[in-house]
Amino acid sequence: MGKNWAIAIGINDYQNMRPLKFARKDAEAVCQFFQETLHFDKVDLFADGAEPVRYADSPPLAAKPTVGNLDNFFHVRFERPFLEPGDNLWFFFAGHGKRHKGRDYLMPIDGNPRRVEQMGIAIDYVAERLRRSGADNVILMIDACRGEDDRDGGEGVGRQQQKGIITLFACSPNELSYEIEEIEQGAFTHTLLAGLQIQGAGNCATVERLSQYLRAKVPEVNHRYNTG
């Protein structure tokens, strides 16, 4: 049976952008579920105040999600394969995203919307590095368009297709993703975790089923809490 590895990034306290309330909590909830319920082989969290990320074959890597630390992580960790065919690599990001000059970017904690190319991390670069892991299946879960000010020219992240990678976005490029005060979670993460826990005939045992579930249920969650 193949290994399951996960990387989760959650950012609340942006230095140059509107702060978020529950992005870090979303990432922590995903990590906890992967570790305690699904018993993944390794789960790494990048968040302000998180413990350094440790691997047997490299020095500890700082987990504060700055552009420098994340760039170093993607460069150092994915320079050579460390997983094998049959393994799965899951990547989760909760925070701000920007679309700039036709490319989608994830914004680190010190990301600057006026200097997106220098102070953001392109999703296609992330995808290219993750593909180097050696895993057969790479799954991106991106909750990165939470408000009007996150978007460039009225369009959010999600327009670019990542070849060879399964990508689950919180919403389509022309929609918004919401944080919900009543449940203290983002609608996407709330629905994602619910879908992964379904048992029986209606389960989300494949990523395709999970994607269909998210497309149907996230708008329902937004409507239920009067956010969408």
Side-chain angles (χ1 to χ4, degrees):
M1 185 175 178
K3 296 186 181 72
N4 280 287
W5 285 44
I7 301 154
I9 303 171
I11 306 172
N12 285 347
D13 298 321
Y14 277 89
Q15 297 173 14
N16 302 300
M17 302 177 74
R18 177 176 56 85
L20 298 170
K21 293 183 179 180
F22 308 124
R24 174 173 176 151
K25 187 174 181 179
D26 285 350
E28 290 173 335
V30 167
C31 285
Q32 184 177 13
F33 181 76
F34 283 162
Q35 287 176 318
E36 298 180 5
T37 303
L38 298 184
H39 306 292
F40 274 22
D41 297 274
K42 185 162 178 54
V43 178
D44 294 318
L45 172 66
F46 287 84
D48 198 5
E51 293 293 321
V53 174
R54 300 180 185 276
Y55 299 97
D57 58 351
S58 66
L61 299 173
K64 184 171 182 175
T66 64
V67 63
N69 288 343
L70 292 176
D71 181 71
N72 184 57
F73 168 70
F74 286 119
H75 176 74
V76 170
R77 187 59 196 156
F78 294 94
E79 192 59 25
R80 60 182 183 273
F82 55 91
L83 294 173
E84 300 177 356
D87 293 343
N88 305 298
L89 179 60
W90 300 70
F91 177 87
F92 175 87
F93 178 89
H96 282 304
K98 292 287 289 182
R99 186 160 176 81
H100 179 74
K101 295 183 178 178
R103 295 182 79 189
D104 294 333
Y105 290 81
L106 305 179
M107 298 305 290
I109 197 168
D110 55 347
N112 191 324
R114 295 180 298 279
R115 300 177 60 212
V116 176
E117 293 176 73
Q118 296 79 27
M119 299 299 291
I121 297 179
I123 294 180
D124 55 8
Y125 170 73
V126 173
E128 184 274 328
R129 299 309 289 182
L130 296 178
R131 282 195 294 268
R132 289 170 172 251
S133 68
D136 270 345
N137 300 306
V138 178
I139 304 99
L140 265 68
M141 299 165 286
I142 307 293
D143 191 351
C145 45
R146 291 169 178 263
E148 291 286 352
D149 60 334
D150 299 340
R151 298 188 290 169
D152 185 6
E155 185 175 53
V157 298
R159 186 68 69 190
Q160 281 184 286
Q161 300 298 312
Q162 306 304 326
K163 185 177 179 180
I165 287 186
I166 301 159
T167 308
L168 304 174
F169 284 100
C171 53
S172 73
N174 294 318
E175 295 175 337
L176 301 179
S177 178
Y178 295 93
E179 296 189 301
I180 300 173
E181 293 279 353
E182 291 91 331
I183 57 175
E184 296 186 348
Q185 269 192 325
F188 176 76
T189 302
H190 176 77
T191 310
L192 172 71
L193 294 175
L196 290 171
Q197 294 179 72
I198 295 173
Q199 303 293 319
N203 66 50
C204 297
T206 67
V207 176
E208 182 179 357
R209 284 189 191 177
L210 179 60
S211 179
Q212 292 171 349
Y213 178 85
L214 289 167
R215 284 198 297 269
K217 297 297 183 181
V218 170
E220 290 182 12
V221 171
N222 286 330
H223 180 73
R224 185 185 314 147
Y225 291 98
N226 298 312
T227 56

